[in-house]
Amino acid sequence: MKHFKILYNGFIISILVSVLSFQNEWLEMRVNVGHIGFAAMILFYLSVLVFERRTGSTQIKKRFGIRNSLLNLTVCMSGVYVLLGAQRMAALPAAILREAIYLRKVPFTQINAGVLGILAGGLFIMMISDRAEKTESLTGASEERTVA
Amino acid sequence: MKLTKIVKAALGLTLSLVIFAGCSAAPAPAETPAEAPAAMMVVDKDKKEIRMETEVNAKYFTEPTRHGVVFKDGSNGEKSVLRGLADQFEFHQALVDIGMEPGNNLALEDMKKSKKVEGDQLDVFVTWDGLGKEIPFEDIIKSSDPRPMDIRFGGNLENATAKKTGCVLCLDSCAVGITSNSSYATGESDNVQFYGNSEVLPEDGTIVTVIFRPHSS
């Protein structure tokens, strides 16, 4: 679940990074900016894992819980909205993603539905996961108390 | 423990659904009858007419571009209002076959020197299923500085071969595009913005036929 949470947050960041890259005309004309987004996602994922290993942090799972993921989603999507506005936001991220995965015939509506599905589904999974972990830690604590 | 299993099952199910959705959303195989190579460009030497099949890329309804038509497999294939389904080299040959003379007056160094493309003048029209008529190519383009289009057979075969951009029709004078618009000098697209006209063009992915003929005065 830890890896899912990191990748989910990396995906959100990748959307913002792709849109930011698109704003640079030189990059947009020469590079598939969707691939820059994918690279950012992988870089983010690896950075978090390296950070975890180096610091010995045990908080990664907690830090990428539903609350912070929702915050990340809100901040990144607000950034995309400020950069593009509503009309462009409906087409550009979908166009970038479509270009990145070489599915030129898939309509923007389908791409947008897929992205929304991933974003909402991811949050839902994280919500269940956070609850499960909370329940487990509570059960564990009460079992420990009983044993004591 | 039970809840963790439920979460894992939900995650597995979601991933399966995403993969399934991705697969089902994937386009039909490239070699559908509509995309058979022979149908992508029709050259009528007697009528002196070239008809090229293209697809609308709605990305450029809201984003600016200097590319009108680019071959889908060129490096700029996703950067044009219309994605060409026939390649730029066949198109160049087709223009020669209908008796057009290329200008070949622009070098790559001229791209910032405000020069205008030369070569035989072309009348360019578009049509698509359901439209029932041909309309001028300039009707499907919106410009921040509108001018009547003056499409020229620039040629540029050497640069087109070296750069492999796939450019068929550029919206301002260009040293790489096989044809380009002489109404705007090279480099003018730095200040002028071009968009696909969403009020005229059909929806994203629709097949649009672009028709090239020698200019009739």
Side-chain angles (χ1 to χ4, degrees):
Chain A
M1 186 49 75
K2 175 182 77 183
H3 299 282
F4 174 80
K5 287 178 174 179
I6 302 168
L7 282 171
Y8 178 84
N9 281 278
F11 177 66
I12 295 168
I13 291 167
S14 77
I15 297 173
L16 179 62
V17 170
S18 304
V19 169
L20 276 170
S21 306
F22 189 87
Q23 305 304 309
N24 182 305
E25 198 187 330
W26 190 91
L27 266 183
E28 198 270 316
M29 279 295 150
R30 285 162 183 81
V31 185
N32 186 328
V33 291
H35 291 169
I36 298 177
F38 285 147
M41 181 174 162
I42 293 164
L43 193 68
F44 176 78
Y45 174 73
L46 293 175
S47 304
V48 173
L49 291 187
V50 168
F51 172 80
E52 184 187 30
R53 183 165 282 189
R54 288 226 173 138
T55 59
S57 170
T58 53
Q59 299 294 307
I60 297 297
K61 226 167 153 181
K62 208 174 171 184
R63 281 188 184 157
F64 289 99
I66 178 91
R67 230 177 71 183
N68 286 345
S69 297
L70 202 56
L71 183 69
N72 183 24
L73 182 65
T74 310
V75 170
C76 288
M77 290 308 119
S78 302
V80 172
Y81 181 80
V82 168
L83 283 169
L84 302 179
Q87 197 192 0
R88 291 174 70 201
M89 196 172 170
L92 186 61
I96 291 172
L97 188 59
R98 180 170 80 171
E99 198 176 327
I101 56 179
Y102 304 105
L103 291 177
R104 66 186 166 89
K105 289 201 168 178
V106 182
F108 294 153
T109 46
Q110 275 184 35
I111 301 266
N112 282 334
V115 170
L116 285 175
I118 290 171
L119 294 177
L123 283 178
F124 180 69
I125 288 168
M126 268 187 258
M127 194 176 73
I128 299 174
S129 161
D130 283 3
R131 269 193 195 171
E133 280 161 23
K134 213 172 179 180
T135 313
E136 271 171 32
S137 65
L138 282 174
T139 316
S142 70
E143 275 172 8
E144 273 172 27
R145 249 178 283 156
T146 316
V147 171
Chain B
M1 199 66 180
K2 258 186 182 173
L3 266 172
T4 313
K5 276 184 184 170
I6 294 169
V7 170
K8 280 182 181 169
L11 185 59
L13 185 69
T14 310
L15 280 174
S16 313
L17 281 172
V18 167
I19 291 164
F20 174 74
C23 291
S24 59
E31 287 302 315
T32 54
E35 216 177 321
M40 295 301 98
M41 191 166 67
V42 177
V43 184
D44 189 329
K45 289 181 190 172
D46 297 331
K47 280 169 71 181
K48 290 188 177 290
E49 178 186 279
I50 301 164
R51 299 174 81 93
M52 185 191 284
E53 301 296 283
T54 65
E55 290 170 353
V56 176
N57 186 351
K59 178 181 175 187
Y60 294 104
F61 288 178
T62 54
E63 305 305 318
T65 180
R66 59 179 297 265
H67 304 289
V69 182
V70 177
F71 175 47
K72 66 180 173 68
D73 294 336
S75 60
N76 283 340
E78 285 295 319
K79 305 198 185 305
S80 57
V81 176
L82 297 176
R83 201 185 284 120
L85 301 180
D87 83 42
Q88 69 275 28
F89 307 118
E90 286 174 33
F91 175 63
H92 184 284
Q93 187 56 48
L95 284 170
V96 172
D97 289 347
I98 63 166
M100 305 302 285
E101 288 283 338
N104 288 322
N105 67 311
L106 294 177
L108 290 173
E109 303 80 63
D110 296 327
M111 286 305 285
K112 295 282 173 194
K113 291 184 183 168
S114 262
K115 288 191 173 178
K116 290 195 170 184
V117 65
E118 293 168 11
D120 280 353
Q121 196 174 5
L122 293 155
D123 290 334
V124 188
F125 300 89
V126 291
T127 188
W128 54 87
D129 274 354
L131 185 67
K133 60 179 178 181
E134 292 175 7
I135 58 171
F137 190 89
E138 66 183 49
D139 288 3
I140 64 162
I141 301 295
K142 279 197 295 194
S143 166
S144 59
D145 177 7
R147 300 173 201 174
M149 265 194 187
D150 179 5
I151 303 294
R152 301 290 178 137
F153 179 23
N156 305 317
L157 192 56
E158 207 173 298
N159 291 336
T161 307
K163 294 285 178 186
K164 296 182 177 66
T165 56
C167 294
V168 168
L169 190 158
C170 303
L171 300 173
D172 61 344
S173 292
C174 182
V176 180
I178 305 298
T179 64
S180 54
N181 186 4
S182 179
S183 297
Y184 300 87
T186 54
E188 276 205 79
S189 58
D190 291 346
N191 305 313
V192 181
Q193 294 190 312
F194 303 101
Y195 299 87
N197 190 344
S198 59
E199 287 162 22
V200 177
L201 277 166
E203 67 177 22
D204 182 67
T206 307
I207 297 286
V208 167
T209 305
V210 184
I211 305 150
F212 299 85
R213 298 188 187 107
H215 177 63
S216 58
S217 46

